Amino acid sequence: MSEVEANSGRITQILNRLSKRSGKPLSTLKLNAKILRSLNLIRYREGAGAELSELGRFILELLKEEQWREDWRAGLPSSRVPPRELAAKIKALRRRVLKMLEDAGSGHLASSLSSLTIIATLYLAKMRHDPRNPEWRLRDRFLLGKGHAAPALYAVLAECGYFPEEELSRLRCVGGLLQGHPEASIPGVDSASGSLGQCLSVANGMALAAKMRGEPYRVYVLLGDGELEEGQIWEAAMSGARHRLDNLTVIVDRNGHQLTGPTELVKPLEPLAEKWRAFGWEVLEVDGESPEEILRALTVGEEVKGRPTVILALTRRIEPSTKGERRGAA
Amino acid sequence: MREDFGRALVSLGEEFEELVVLDPDVSTSTRTCYFAERFPKRFLNVGVSEQDMIGMAAGLAASGMLPIATGFAVFVAGRGWEQIRNTVARQRLNVKIAVTHSGLSDHGDGSSHQSVEDIAIMRSIPNMAVVVPADGASASAALRSSILYEGPVYLRLGREETPRIYEEGLELDLGAAEVLRDGSDATIIANGIMVSMALEAAALLAHEGLDVRVVDMHTVKPLDLDCVEKAARETGAIVTAEEHSVIGGLGGAVSEAISELRPTAMARIGIRDRFGESSRTYGELLEKLGLTSRAIAEAARSTVRRRI
């Protein structure tokens, strides 16, 4: 049927082509074509051309949808990095992020590095996504709430093949692809961000849409710990629990610092696990520098029913060494 | 006007199965309760959280749904502004923001609930369209056009019933102004509830021998520049009339266009850089703040005298 859709024309020509390509006898294909016609899925126009009927087009859409779902179950990408190789990959990515910030001359180094293991683990070993088809409808989504960690996201997206690695050296260049904070125009970026506190609401919307449409994808959001001081986060935390979004996982990069100092001095977040629990979330705590622990928690989160999951990932803050980061480089 | 909006949502819900309505717990006031009753699964009461609502609408739009975020103009545009700017407009998501209780229409509740600056702040956001219908029928039509329009739209509706101008079932073209009355001595460019007052003013002026054109500029952005330029060229005097601050709304938009295209004598009827206040009736407040057909007519007379 898809062959008819792609090349409407004389039915015998189409069948000949199919026969050559598939090695199936012409008589079998003719019989199939007859069946399609008697089911009213295709029709022959005057002058012996063939085309899909409205019903045929509808059935074809259903078949394509089924194919998509099968792809999803198969779990793209097929080239997942085995957990034991992740650490080496992440080490290489860390070097790339350092180089990016050096090239760009500004940006948030410590914050990018503390998020790197989490983002890399998600994209390289967990999420179902397809760099050849960034808009794949059933892909798992990732939103970077703490948009200032964009360099880490970009390095990982380039590693996946969403855009050429050379782009990384053009971070923050005028007219360049890679903006200081994530833009939707960048292949692989599922939501623009940069203004703290907004992504959890967006993720809720995406997770709700999946439920409404019966789509199987999961939504992942990475939030900064300083970001949790934004009030909208807690509006969204209530919404996530209210709508029982068990297809949503939040990861908090708990590096303990915000721009000007430790979170517990600026605006204390603790007891953080209790806060999320009180808001109706499943709470897990992991070492955010360990891909294995992160992966385990992500899998536990997938099994939780009736409420969303938050993973508090304890990460390491690397002391700033560039002047820009010390000053607050925004 | 909110009644027409509420009813129109229901019929559009039948037509567009991806349509979802988000409500910050004011559905009985905005009349989205009719939609909630008919399509409970596609109605989301997000609680008293305008910012969260806009973000959620963005996520729904990014995932194939057609969200309409609703509420009171002052709270959705004001509280949700940064979410609309950074999350909706920046990535040009197909979110429709349809608000009621705009301008002074929530007269009893006072200045906290009245929105005199929402058009200005929405209009300044790149990618946003801003639409201000004149009556119930055009509100329904504008809602439908907004849904068919690809990209974010701010649809600004009032709380109160307004005099009927259009027939039911009209089609409204976003970005194409409606010339309701032709004339050659001056043009009144109005929108929202001020359109019916503009027509009254034109009738008053006709008695005095002034032949005045009346334009319903329902779309403030993108502004119908051809219509504005033509009004300047053909009539040489322009009065704008809106239920909004004279800063940054329709008056602002037309002034900006005119000063570049064809400098012309102009006057702006609107709220003169102040907040509203409580009043028992809508009419009293409009009268106090100078939003009347008499004020429009007087502005037209003086503008004609000042014609360049």
Side-chain angles (χ1 to χ4, degrees):
Chain A
M1 255 162 39
S2 55
E3 185 73 16
V4 175
E5 185 195 42
N7 323 280
S8 71
R10 282 174 175 280
I11 190 77
T12 45
Q13 285 169 355
I14 295 173
L15 293 179
N16 268 324
R17 256 199 314 273
L18 269 176
S19 173
K20 260 184 219 145
R21 207 185 314 148
S22 65
K24 293 203 171 76
L26 195 58
S27 55
T28 311
L29 294 174
K30 274 188 175 160
L31 183 65
N32 277 309
K34 231 180 225 170
I35 294 170
L36 288 179
R37 187 170 63 161
S38 61
L39 287 173
N40 196 21
L41 298 180
I42 59 173
R43 58 171 167 254
Y44 302 155
R45 278 179 296 134
E46 277 188 42
E51 65 180 15
L52 283 183
S53 68
E54 203 151 294
L55 182 63
R57 230 170 281 139
F58 176 69
I59 298 284
L60 190 64
E61 281 303 307
L62 287 183
L63 291 174
K64 277 186 193 160
E65 174 100 18
E66 195 42 46
Q67 184 61 47
W68 271 358
R69 277 173 207 276
E70 256 168 45
D71 286 352
W72 194 86
R73 279 191 288 269
L76 292 167
S78 46
S79 60
R80 279 195 189 169
V81 178
R84 61 179 186 286
E85 289 172 28
L86 268 177
K89 278 261 190 240
I90 290 166
K91 203 170 167 192
L93 285 168
R94 188 168 287 138
R95 231 172 269 134
R96 220 167 286 161
V97 170
L98 271 165
K99 178 78 168 56
M100 286 167 75
L101 283 158
E102 194 188 337
D103 288 345
S106 69
H108 300 262
L109 178 65
S111 199
S112 299
L113 291 178
S114 71
S115 293
L116 185 62
T117 300
I118 299 163
I119 300 175
T121 304
L122 276 166
Y123 273 93
L124 300 178
K126 188 70 200 175
M127 284 164 51
R128 294 174 170 88
H129 64 119
D130 182 2
R132 287 160 306 170
N133 181 14
E135 301 294 316
W136 180 34
R137 198 160 56 88
L138 301 184
R139 73 192 183 280
D140 288 338
R141 271 72 166 167
F142 174 76
L143 296 89
L144 183 63
K146 46 176 291 187
H148 53 284
L153 175 61
Y154 297 159
V156 172
L157 289 176
E159 174 69 28
C160 292
Y162 279 97
F163 44 78
E165 214 179 292
E166 297 81 71
E167 288 291 344
L168 297 179
S169 60
R170 303 194 64 238
L171 172 66
R172 295 187 170 214
C173 277
V174 69
L177 175 70
L178 300 182
Q179 298 291 300
H181 291 80
E183 293 285 348
S185 52
I186 300 168
V189 170
D190 288 321
S191 178
S193 61
S195 174
L196 296 175
Q198 300 193 13
C199 272
L200 185 50
S201 301
V202 181
N204 281 340
M206 290 177 172
L208 256 172
K211 297 228 169 216
M212 287 174 159
R213 298 162 71 88
E215 292 175 344
Y217 61 82
R218 259 191 107 69
V219 184
Y220 297 95
V221 196
L222 178 60
L223 302 176
D225 48 3
E227 183 180 10
L228 303 183
E229 292 160 16
E230 289 282 3
Q232 191 185 341
I233 292 287
W234 302 100
E235 293 182 9
M238 283 188 269
S239 290
R242 156 70 179 80
H243 294 286
R244 307 162 63 88
L245 298 176
D246 48 19
N247 52 352
L248 170 69
T249 298
V250 167
I251 302 125
V252 175
D253 176 354
R254 185 73 172 113
N255 60 30
H257 286 262
Q258 52 196 105
L259 192 63
T260 65
T263 57
E264 297 317 288
L265 290 182
V266 177
K267 194 163 189 164
L269 294 166
E270 295 297 341
L272 191 54
E274 282 173 43
K275 279 197 176 82
W276 283 98
R277 247 176 235 124
F279 274 75
W281 288 58
E282 179 74 18
V283 183
L284 303 166
E285 292 177 85
V286 301
D287 172 359
E289 303 293 345
S290 157
E292 294 81 8
E293 276 200 35
I294 295 169
L295 274 174
R296 249 196 314 274
L298 289 170
T299 307
V300 172
E302 281 173 314
E303 301 304 319
V304 174
K305 294 283 166 252
R307 61 184 178 281
T309 295
V310 57
I311 299 171
L312 303 179
L314 203 63
T315 56
R316 215 174 42 229
R317 178 179 159 88
I318 291 163
E319 273 310 303
S321 57
T322 64
K323 271 188 208 159
E325 179 83 8
R326 260 200 303 275
R327 276 194 224 117
Chain B
M1 200 180 260
R2 56 180 171 164
E3 275 299 320
D4 299 86
F5 168 63
R7 305 278 173 210
L9 264 185
V10 174
S11 66
L12 290 163
E14 308 277 0
E15 190 177 346
F16 299 93
E17 59 181 36
E18 315 295 338
L19 198 147
V20 185
V21 173
L22 296 95
D23 156 52
D25 202 37
V26 286
S27 62
T28 45
S29 301
T30 57
R31 301 295 194 257
T32 55
C33 50
Y34 305 143
F35 185 92
E37 215 167 276
R38 177 71 185 82
F39 304 106
K41 287 195 177 141
R42 290 196 270 144
F43 178 79
L44 299 166
N45 180 346
V46 300
V48 192
S49 318
E50 288 80 6
Q51 308 174 42
D52 188 32
M53 171 179 72
I54 298 295
M56 228 192 247
L60 287 161
S63 311
M65 302 303 285
L66 184 57
I68 310 215
T70 63
F72 286 18
V74 68
F75 305 125
V76 177
R79 241 187 152 107
W81 187 86
E82 210 251 350
Q83 284 70 17
I84 295 170
R85 181 216 182 261
N86 256 325
T87 296
V88 174
R90 227 172 101 221
Q91 38 194 347
R92 208 165 196 286
L93 287 173
N94 201 22
V95 173
K96 314 303 168 189
I97 300 154
V99 296
T100 60
H101 296 63
S102 69
L104 305 168
S105 66
D106 194 2
H107 52 87
D109 278 327
S111 65
S112 62
H113 282 56
Q114 297 159 355
S115 67
V116 298
E117 63 292 270
D118 56 322
I119 295 175
I121 61 176
M122 283 296 131
R123 187 169 77 86
S124 61
I125 302 176
N127 290 342
M128 282 298 291
V130 178
V131 184
V132 188
D135 69 353
S138 63
S140 306
L143 180 59
R144 188 160 203 287
S145 305
S146 301
I147 285 171
L148 295 173
Y149 177 89
E150 191 60 37
V153 177
Y154 181 71
L155 180 62
R156 186 200 205 233
L157 308 170
R159 175 183 186 273
E160 299 289 297
E161 290 307 313
T162 50
R164 164 182 289 247
I165 294 166
Y166 293 98
E167 291 300 317
E168 293 293 333
L170 77 145
E171 276 183 26
L172 190 142
D173 240 348
L174 296 195
E178 204 69 48
V179 178
L180 296 177
R181 179 184 174 125
D182 208 4
S184 54
D185 293 332
T187 304
I188 305 170
I189 300 178
N191 63 17
I193 60 156
M194 301 307 285
V195 174
S196 67
M197 291 189 207
L199 288 167
E200 282 169 27
L204 275 174
L205 293 164
H207 288 301
E208 302 164 19
L210 273 180
D211 183 22
V212 175
R213 183 179 301 180
V214 176
V215 171
D216 174 6
M217 191 63 78
H218 47 71
T219 310
V220 182
K221 186 183 173 186
L223 192 69
D224 187 343
L225 292 175
D226 289 342
C227 173
V228 172
E229 196 274 336
K230 204 162 167 253
R233 179 161 36 86
E234 294 176 357
T235 70
I238 292 178
V239 176
T240 58
E242 62 191 317
E243 188 195 12
H244 181 271
S245 171
V246 289
I247 300 171
L250 176 66
V254 172
S255 306
E256 290 158 17
I258 283 298
S259 62
E260 283 183 357
L261 295 172
R262 193 182 186 95
T264 306
M266 252 200 86
R268 293 167 301 157
I269 294 295
I271 298 161
R272 309 302 299 192
D273 197 18
R274 59 156 289 181
F275 292 108
E277 62 184 72
S278 278
S279 73
R280 293 282 175 85
T281 67
Y282 193 15
E284 282 172 285
L285 187 57
L286 293 170
E287 178 87 37
K288 175 163 183 184
L289 297 193
L291 304 186
T292 62
S293 49
R294 290 192 320 283
I296 298 173
E298 185 45 40
R301 284 183 206 104
S302 74
T303 309
V304 167
R305 283 196 296 274
R306 290 189 291 113
R307 241 197 309 234
I308 301 168

